[in-house]
Amino acid sequence: NLSLKLDRAFKTLKGTGKITEINVASTVKEIRRALIDADVNYKVAKEVTDKIKDEAMGRDVLISVSPGQLLVKITQEELTKLMGGSKVDIKLSGDPSVILISGLQGSGKTTFTGKLGSFLKRQGRQVLLVACDIYRPAAIDQLKVLGEQIGVEVYAEPENKNALQIANNAIAYAKKTGKKTVVVDTAGRLAVDEQMMKEIEELKKALNPSETLFVVDSMTGQDAVNTAKTFDERLDFDGVVLTKLDGDTRGGAAISIRHVVNKPIKFISTGEKMENLDVFHPDRMAQRILGMGDVISLVERAQQSFDEDEAKRINAKIRQNNFNFDDFLSQLEQVKKMGNIKDLIGMIPGMGKAMKGLDIDDDSFKPIEAIIRSMTPKERQNPDIIDGRRRKRIADGSGRTITEVNNLMKQFDDMRKLMKQMNKMGGAKQALGRMV
Ligand code: GDP
Ligand code: MG
């Protein structure tokens, strides 16, 4: 029964109107665990959550949003900042402009080279892909197959064992054939070694690329961070490409890497197909890491449509034990303005649990609205005058049964009693204002 459920919900509500030390502590702990689960390194996770705690303390909570949800929102904002705030495009300059791809073997360099070729082609550029992996003949074929698939030319010299020569020849070829953008795929090793570093260093010096990208497998967790650090010390690369973000990986590596090398992540790769490439957006990655995209958008929706003045007015009326049917109706309107009722019920602190299993949609409010609208203004403002005769008239006027009218009166009565009680206890007066 509804009033019992409300009662329970109100009890959960007590003290949740403002973020306090206690509810911050428990939520922050959960957020920290979520970050660590998502592969963010412990130190970074702790730094982030400490900052979130400072940020959150004492912030007023919109009455329709629980502190927990607001904390999630603040966390998302902090994570976004931590990953650079906004997206950073790759730099393309020079004739041709050269993009150098670096990274360990198996990180996804060749696959990404194909994807980037397709990406640039879609921007209307004339692109040339260059196969500079001189150690694995199969790597040349791999790139050629990808090139054919996306309709982009691939330059290769299968007999030549000098990567620098191949790259220089490729650039000359690009100039001759009018290709303005050259993407150079390189060889990697399974682990960092001196020879590989020297090779890629020399390539960078000789080609003077406008963009050097470091490709890293996001599933390798902490190793990814260490590799990124080593490559950056030697190469001073311009950006990171995170691969294999499909499947279970939640992307915590993005935060750790950014934190350690302080270079923007520019692309994420989410599968083996050529179209599985996305420009990196810090805010979207933050959502992904938190795994709470839905919650966040709900919080935002509430913030948009929430009418604060009206809430203040209603709160004042509740405090004066003066809540009437006009206020009730106004609350219904507020809730309806916010969109899907079922989603929104869950956002009201404590309500999600209490209303579970209850079948509520926009139409559920129609009979209630009809009954209230059949009351005279005087009746709405002074519900106590609504006696048996008036109830009969209201029922006839609204096309509802007397029982329905009685039920609503009873519910409304219970609600007001509860409000009075809460006022006496000095509890969550604010939050009560949002209850319907
Ligand atoms: P390279 O050695 O750095 O050139 O790496 P490759 O491009 O050859 O990729 C190594 C393996 O990872 C291949 O089997 C690719 O199909 C696969 N791969 C590359 N990128 C992704 C990705 O984003 N998601 C998944 N699931 N597999 C990928
Ligand atoms: Mg390769």
Side-chain angles (χ1 to χ4, degrees), residues 93-109:
S93 60
D95 186 19
S97 51
V98 177
I99 303 168
L100 181 64
I101 311 297
S102 70
L104 292 182
Q105 183 180 324
S107 60
K109 286 185 303 301

Side-chain angles (χ1 to χ4, degrees), residues 101-107 109-110 132-136 139 185-193 196-197 199-200 231:
I101 311 297
S102 70
L104 292 182
Q105 183 180 324
S107 60
K109 286 185 303 301
T110 304
C132 270
D133 188 341
I134 48 176
Y135 302 104
R136 295 196 302 165
D185 183 24
T186 63
R189 304 275 198 286
L190 285 171
V192 172
D193 74 26
M196 169 178 66
M197 285 301 175
E199 269 172 26
I200 190 83
F231 268 80

Side-chain angles (χ1 to χ4, degrees), residues 355-411:
M355 305 292 263
K356 214 171 183 178
L358 214 66
D359 197 20
I360 292 185
D361 55 36
D362 286 354
D363 287 346
S364 317
F365 291 121
K366 278 200 180 128
I368 297 176
E369 265 192 88
I371 292 170
I372 298 175
R373 290 197 194 283
S374 291
M375 296 172 183
T376 65
K378 209 172 137 202
E379 286 167 344
R380 286 188 218 171
Q381 281 151 31
N382 310 285
D384 293 333
I385 64 167
I386 305 177
D387 55 11
R389 224 188 49 217
R390 287 178 190 264
R391 289 182 192 204
K392 171 90 176 62
R393 196 208 74 241
I394 292 167
D396 290 344
S398 61
R400 315 304 310 188
T401 64
I402 290 252
T403 314
E404 281 176 297
V405 176
N406 285 337
N407 281 346
L408 178 63
M409 293 301 299
K410 172 86 175 62
Q411 256 177 38

Side-chain angles (χ1 to χ4, degrees), residues 102-113 115 133 136 139 142 146 185-186 188 215 217 219 242-247 268-273 276:
S102 70
L104 292 182
Q105 183 180 324
S107 60
K109 286 185 303 301
T110 304
T111 309
F112 171 71
T113 301
K115 289 177 180 181
D133 188 341
R136 295 196 302 165
Q142 186 190 355
L146 295 178
D185 183 24
T186 63
V215 178
D217 180 341
M219 297 201 300
L242 270 184
T243 64
K244 308 188 193 179
L245 269 168
D246 39 325
I268 57 174
S269 178
T270 56
E272 302 190 47
K273 293 201 193 86
N276 299 142

